[in-house]
Amino acid sequence: MSTIVPKIALTAGEPAGIGADIILQLAQQALPAHLVVFAAPELLAQRAEQLNIPITLEVAETHQIQLHQAGKLKIIPISLVQPVKTGQLNVENATHVLTMLKRACQACLDKKFDALVTTPIHKGIINDAGYPFTGHTEFLAQQTKTSQVVMMLATSKLRVALVTTHLPLSQVSAAITFRRLKTSLEILHQALRSKFSIDQPHIAVCGLNPHAGEDGHLGTEEIITIIPVLDELRRAGMRLIGPLPADTAFTPQNLAGMDAVLTMYHDQGLPVLKSQGFGEAVNITLGLPIIRTSVDHGTALTLAGTGQANTHSLQAALNMAIDIVKHKKN
Amino acid sequence: MRKPIIAIPLGDPAGVGPEVVVKSLSDPNVYEVAKPLVIGNIDVVKNALTICRQQAQINRIEMPNSGRYEHGTIDLINLQNIDVAKLQLGRVQAMCGQAAYEYIEKAVKLAMDGEVEALATTPINKESLKAANISHIGHTEILEELSQTKDPLTLFEVRGMRVFFLSRHVSLRQSCDLVTKERVLDYIIRCTQALQKLGIKEGMMAVAGLNPHCGEHGLFGDEEITQVVPAIEEAQNLGYQVVGPIGADSVFHQALQGQYSAVLSLYHDQGHIATKTVDFERTISITNGLPFLRTSVDHGTAFDIAGKGIVSEVSMTEAIRLAAKYSPHFRRFSSVLFD
């Protein structure tokens, strides 16, 4: 393990949402990283006042790398288009959000930061502004010119990765191609080794259909695509279990000894992780040329400015980014 | 307290059914809530007692109302259809498929005649049934035919959360096509009726969404907008207590906290994942739409561990408990048997 100070870029997300709240709350403690927030300074100042949180904002200087100090935030200013009314989406500020993400992403690509930690954006308002946008994960893939990424949610007890993310359920079957599944597994396998220091990862792979297709009686994608991919990668040395019926893949017996579960679609794995008491989840994008973690919750517009927003997920996302930076094998 | 008679067909004699039954009936709490009546074969029951190192007196009876229903006694309607000398535990055998079928047949007859209040069923094996030339593919299909009913509605219950399924044994791709306004509306109505038949007349039913985040206003999938919402609105206009669509990440979580009388899930794995992950062993299937109440364990014959006495009876006990819980409310026949 190195003694470097991890340099973390943090984006404030949708300005009307709780991104600013949780960043300001988190910033009240000393943190084991050099933290720089990409945000509108006036938004942070306004929200801090609303929350009655003391904060000192200063523009980040690239050459000054130091651990985060309680109550002080280094920022890279991103201008708002219009002033923010807490809790109220404004289509005019969609470009503000996109600029924030682009600049933070670029700064990571330029190695000015070791990792990117994001807070929630609002997909709907960005689309309303005329920019097709399905999520951070897909946007960052585009920005970094990465053809395929894997979204993974992780808690201290369970890691769940997805082959498809924000896709209509009716299109999932067509999206599960041999190539896509194989690449997903390769990305996941590689990331478990390089980012989580697991030398021989054990991965459980869910089927697509009920009962994992029951020998083709309930769908053929397992036979045509999934099993051949698993067989090929097993021959290449990967330790893969499956395809498993998804309804029993998450029982304690089946999870024992598994380092991650690969699910075929969003709602196959995420509801389990989020609701069944596996703890605070962090969203991490695998396969990007940069390290990126994120909170697992939404903009929670109604909580913005109330002081009710919970920082646990952001804290977990930051911790994970720091861990990965420190453990990264070069 | 009035205790209902629950018929328990023994299941495939070569599987773990007999073991879960005798283990479950060794629990005095079962007799606090129910009068369990085993439909099976005396030698198989004795065998299971030995395997599980249990002791109980077996009380052979002809009619349910002559049972003792005391802890320490297993009341049994004996069908002489198993030659234990030939019984091979953990193996597919025609004799066992035939026997399992006959236990169900007898239990259904008793239920149809109003002699028992409900059925709590144990696992049968499709291969054994096939070996016995019984063409039905599963339990529910057998029950459908024996009771002359069509299209029964399956409900899962675990820790107080109830989940219905808009579709079950079809591919994921096909299940999307089955999400139509007509079907969702029909299921809201049928599920509400099923709940009422179980005595659940209060509370709000929730409909789950189909797409990630319910399609996020049509960004990824529009079935919520074009099919699900119109169905829910029409049901609401008809006076049904129903809300939704609510994303799968939230709706089951809320249901576990007691917010809904039930959740209508839109495809097999959506509801199965949500229930079995909470507590696999206590996820019990309740079949609605039959002329009698039926609960079932959700595990199989587990041939690999049959005869070892190590199978868990938690699911069986829970199935009996739920049958007893809902029996007093279940109304189909006027001739309800009570003390």
Side-chain angles (χ1 to χ4, degrees):
Chain A
M1 195 188 295
S2 60
T3 54
I4 56 153
V5 175
K7 293 171 286 182
I8 309 288
L10 185 57
T11 51
E14 164 55 45
I18 60 169
D21 302 47
I22 56 179
I23 289 171
L24 289 162
Q25 288 167 28
L26 184 78
Q28 296 304 301
Q29 58 189 312
L31 294 165
H34 171 67
L35 201 63
V36 174
V37 182
F38 286 68
E42 64 269 39
L43 167 76
L44 291 174
Q46 171 201 330
R47 195 65 56 81
E49 198 182 318
Q50 209 173 351
L51 293 169
N52 203 13
I53 288 178
I55 196 84
T56 307
L57 300 174
E58 57 184 59
V59 175
E61 304 283 346
T62 30
H63 58 275
Q64 265 192 347
I65 308 300
Q66 58 182 182
L67 293 178
H68 173 81
Q69 296 177 312
K72 289 186 180 174
L73 261 185
K74 294 185 189 305
I75 69 172
I76 287 182
I78 308 289
S79 315
L80 287 165
V81 179
Q82 284 189 0
V84 173
K85 286 185 185 152
T86 305
Q88 287 184 27
L89 295 172
N90 184 340
V91 73
E92 298 294 329
N93 279 329
T95 51
H96 160 74
V97 174
L98 293 177
T99 306
M100 173 198 306
L101 289 180
K102 279 181 197 165
R103 295 222 7 221
C105 179
Q106 190 60 46
C108 291
L109 282 173
D110 294 344
K111 311 280 184 208
K112 289 176 184 149
F113 295 94
D114 300 312
L116 172 65
V117 177
T118 60
T119 60
I121 44 85
H122 193 282
K123 300 180 191 85
I125 200 72
I126 299 174
N127 280 277
D128 290 349
Y131 304 98
F133 187 93
T134 55
H136 268 118
T137 306
E138 298 84 351
F139 183 80
L140 293 170
Q142 262 174 27
Q143 288 297 307
T144 58
K145 301 185 173 57
T146 311
S147 60
Q148 193 181 331
V149 295
V150 172
M151 175 175 166
M152 181 167 93
L153 268 92
T155 69
S156 54
K157 295 178 198 156
L158 178 64
R159 299 183 190 94
V160 176
L162 312 180
V163 182
T164 63
T165 53
H166 295 123
L167 197 64
L169 194 67
S170 60
Q171 293 175 22
V172 167
S173 166
I176 309 280
T177 59
F178 187 96
R179 190 190 172 94
R180 184 182 185 88
L181 179 58
K182 186 176 173 218
T183 307
S184 296
L185 272 163
E186 286 166 346
I187 291 172
L188 175 59
H189 189 262
Q190 171 59 25
L192 289 170
R193 288 168 57 92
S194 67
K195 293 187 166 65
F196 295 91
S197 307
I198 301 163
D199 284 341
Q200 284 283 1
H202 287 69
I203 301 170
V205 182
C206 289
L208 176 70
N209 293 298
H211 310 179
E214 198 160 320
D215 302 322
H217 294 296
L218 303 178
T220 53
E221 290 89 344
E222 285 79 6
I223 294 173
I224 293 172
T225 309
I226 301 176
I227 293 171
V229 171
L230 299 192
D231 285 346
E232 182 170 319
L233 292 174
R234 281 180 186 124
R235 283 194 293 274
M238 282 194 203
R239 304 190 178 188
L240 307 173
I241 314 294
L244 296 172
D247 55 356
T248 51
F250 298 95
T251 59
Q253 296 92 316
N254 280 330
L255 288 180
M258 291 297 127
D259 296 302
V261 180
L262 182 68
T263 61
M264 296 294 139
Y265 54 93
H266 187 279
D267 280 358
Q268 197 174 41
L270 297 199
V272 174
L273 195 96
K274 288 190 183 181
S275 71
Q276 316 291 359
F278 287 101
E280 292 299 332
V282 176
N283 180 343
I284 166 167
T285 314
L286 310 178
L288 291 174
I290 64 172
I291 294 166
R292 180 256 171 165
T293 67
S294 169
V295 298
D296 75 331
H297 55 71
T299 50
L301 296 169
T302 54
L303 293 184
T306 65
Q308 307 286 308
N310 185 319
T311 59
H312 291 166
S313 186
L314 179 59
Q315 178 81 62
L318 178 67
N319 290 347
M320 184 172 288
I322 293 171
D323 279 352
I324 293 171
V325 172
K326 288 191 166 177
H327 288 267
K328 195 178 176 190
K329 286 178 184 165
N330 293 307
Chain B
M1 188 189 154
R2 305 188 300 181
K3 289 185 273 191
I5 301 178
I6 311 293
I8 308 168
L10 201 54
D12 191 306
V16 294
E19 292 168 61
V20 298
V21 171
V22 301
K23 275 189 168 183
S24 179
L25 298 189
S26 72
D27 178 356
N29 293 321
V30 168
Y31 287 84
E32 295 289 318
V33 296
K35 295 176 171 177
L37 170 62
V38 178
I39 318 292
N41 174 273
I42 189 161
D43 298 318
V44 175
V45 173
K46 282 181 183 164
N47 208 18
L49 283 167
T50 310
I51 291 166
C52 299
R53 297 187 185 155
Q54 305 275 354
Q55 287 188 339
Q57 218 181 355
I58 297 175
N59 180 33
R60 281 175 60 168
I61 56 176
E62 296 299 323
M63 289 304 289
N65 60 12
S66 51
R68 288 210 288 271
Y69 305 115
E70 296 163 356
H71 179 240
T73 301
I74 292 177
D75 294 288
L76 171 77
I77 289 183
N78 181 43
L79 301 187
Q80 260 329 330
N81 52 14
I82 286 291
D83 180 352
V84 277
K86 290 184 185 159
L87 175 63
Q88 292 177 296
L89 296 180
R91 290 282 186 80
V92 171
Q93 289 155 95
M95 169 179 78
C96 294
Q98 182 64 34
Y101 180 78
E102 288 171 9
Y103 304 146
I104 299 168
E105 192 179 38
K106 178 68 178 173
V108 168
K109 180 162 191 333
L110 292 171
M112 297 289 282
D113 292 346
E115 301 284 345
V116 299
E117 285 285 288
L119 263 60
T121 63
T122 58
I124 54 176
N125 189 291
K126 287 175 193 170
E127 296 302 315
S128 304
L129 289 176
K130 209 189 276 177
N133 290 319
I134 295 162
S135 59
H136 309 282
I137 58 163
H139 233 144
T140 308
E141 288 78 7
I142 293 176
L143 294 168
E144 259 181 276
E145 175 160 322
L146 290 173
S147 66
Q148 305 276 306
T149 34
K150 280 219 155 49
D151 204 10
L153 198 59
T154 294
L155 165 67
F156 274 15
E157 178 164 331
V158 61
R159 292 198 193 154
M161 170 167 76
R162 303 183 193 93
V163 177
F164 289 100
F165 303 87
L166 186 68
S167 67
R168 296 191 70 213
H169 294 131
V170 296
S171 72
L172 184 74
R173 183 63 198 83
Q174 283 173 294
S175 67
C176 296
D177 296 336
L178 291 172
V179 179
T180 62
K181 182 192 165 190
E182 289 69 31
R183 293 191 77 245
V184 174
L185 179 60
D186 179 47
Y187 267 75
I188 292 170
I189 295 168
R190 289 176 60 199
C191 295
T192 304
Q193 288 167 348
L195 290 172
Q196 285 171 346
K197 243 170 117 175
L198 294 174
I200 302 151
K201 299 187 172 73
E202 304 290 315
M204 189 67 81
M205 182 159 57
V207 180
L210 178 71
N211 294 299
H213 311 174
C214 284
E216 199 137 342
H217 312 291
L219 272 183
F220 18 87
D222 63 0
E223 289 90 344
E224 283 81 4
I225 296 170
T226 61
Q227 310 296 329
V228 183
V229 170
I232 292 171
E233 284 175 355
E234 188 160 333
Q236 287 168 338
N237 289 337
L238 292 168
Y240 286 91
Q241 298 289 305
V242 59
V243 289
I246 302 169
D249 341 23
S250 313
V251 71
F252 299 107
H253 188 55
Q254 294 166 351
L256 277 171
Q257 293 171 335
Q259 283 194 33
Y260 309 118
S261 56
V263 178
L264 173 58
S265 65
L266 297 189
Y267 52 94
H268 177 280
D269 272 2
Q270 186 177 54
H272 275 247
I273 293 169
T275 49
K276 290 182 183 173
T277 306
V278 169
D279 190 335
F280 179 77
E281 286 197 305
R282 288 182 179 79
T283 296
I284 300 303
S285 167
I286 303 170
T287 314
N288 297 276
L290 299 172
F292 47 85
L293 178 67
R294 179 249 182 159
T295 64
S296 173
V297 299
D298 203 45
H299 59 73
T301 44
F303 277 173
D304 54 329
I305 58 164
K308 296 183 178 168
I310 57 173
V311 65
S312 164
E313 77 282 15
V314 168
S315 196
M316 185 76 244
T317 306
E318 194 67 10
I320 298 171
R321 203 184 64 74
L322 283 186
K325 171 177 150 184
Y326 289 121
S327 287
H329 304 283
F330 190 84
R331 288 286 175 265
R332 169 73 193 203
F333 294 111
S334 50
S335 57
V336 178
L337 274 197
F338 287 125
D339 285 336

